[in-house]
Amino acid sequence: MPRISAFHGITILMYWDEGVHSATHFHVRSGTAKASIGLDGSVIAGSLPATRLRLVREWTALHRDELSANWGRARRGEPLEAIDPLP
């Protein structure tokens, strides 16, 4: 299952088949907006409203180690672990 977290109308996903060939990142969906976000909080592709992007960057900073660990799991074809949402 690629969904690893959800908060404030934002869904965070990480896909198995991207673990080998892509830079470390995750996907964000919020309403009709979609973006790929690097572990440094940079927007790799797509866009999000400014408020949503701020929340995603805050969450990313809090969970960078867990995101990196999930990326490793994805590369090995292992199940991903859920990550706590922002309060």
Side-chain angles (χ1 to χ4, degrees):
M1 172 184 245
R3 179 180 162 180
I4 56 174
S5 194
F7 51 91
H8 304 286
I10 298 166
T11 302
I12 309 291
L13 307 113
M14 190 176 281
Y15 295 104
W16 297 97
D17 59 349
E18 293 182 338
V20 177
H21 303 291
S22 301
T24 308
H25 70 282
F26 57 92
H27 298 268
V28 179
R29 291 185 187 160
S30 180
T32 60
K34 296 178 183 179
S36 297
I37 307 291
L39 294 194
D40 62 355
S42 64
V43 178
I44 297 170
S47 65
L48 294 171
T51 303
R52 300 291 185 184
L53 182 56
R54 181 185 56 76
L55 291 171
V56 169
R57 286 180 170 155
E58 180 181 341
W59 178 84
T60 302
L62 291 171
H63 299 289
R64 193 165 283 121
D65 291 342
E66 293 163 278
L67 286 162
S68 182
N70 263 347
W71 187 259
R73 288 181 193 94
R75 289 188 65 164
R76 295 186 300 272
E78 298 173 2
L80 304 179
E81 293 187 7
I83 299 176
D84 289 338
L86 277 180

